Amino acid sequence: MNADCPKLPSMPLAQPNYYWCTTQAQAVNHACIFVCPTGYSLEDDPNRNFFKFVCQANGTWSGKLHRCVGKLAQY
């Protein structure tokens, strides 16, 4: 049986590709991508600035919550 996934929590600094990812439940297979602002990257992967969740058939989200952190100035 397919079940909707609950809305995702707001995440510091990261913005969702669709605002409704954090305001309402989502249908199965719907993807929500969160993007860090310019000059920020993922704490555990400095080469990436986004992360993705996909609503699974069991009503849970796949994916991992990440933190956006400022990139160190390189000289």
Side-chain angles (χ1 to χ4, degrees):
M1 181 172 126
N2 288 345
D4 287 347
C5 292
K7 68 181 181 176
L8 288 162
S10 295
M11 297 173 211
L13 297 176
Q15 294 295 314
N17 58 335
Y18 301 111
Y19 74 90
W20 53 81
C21 289
T22 59
T23 61
Q24 62 192 37
Q26 300 299 314
V28 172
N29 293 325
H30 184 85
C32 289
I33 299 170
F34 286 79
V35 180
C36 298
T38 302
Y40 287 77
S41 64
L42 302 184
E43 182 175 44
D44 54 352
D45 186 350
N47 296 315
R48 286 185 38 213
N49 71 339
F50 69 94
F51 51 100
K52 178 172 143 178
F53 294 95
V54 177
C55 181
Q56 302 177 106
N58 65 1
T60 64
W61 290 99
S62 70
K64 175 186 169 194
L65 177 62
H66 294 271
R67 263 182 22 129
C68 297
V69 295
K71 292 181 181 180
L72 297 176
Q74 296 184 7
Y75 297 100

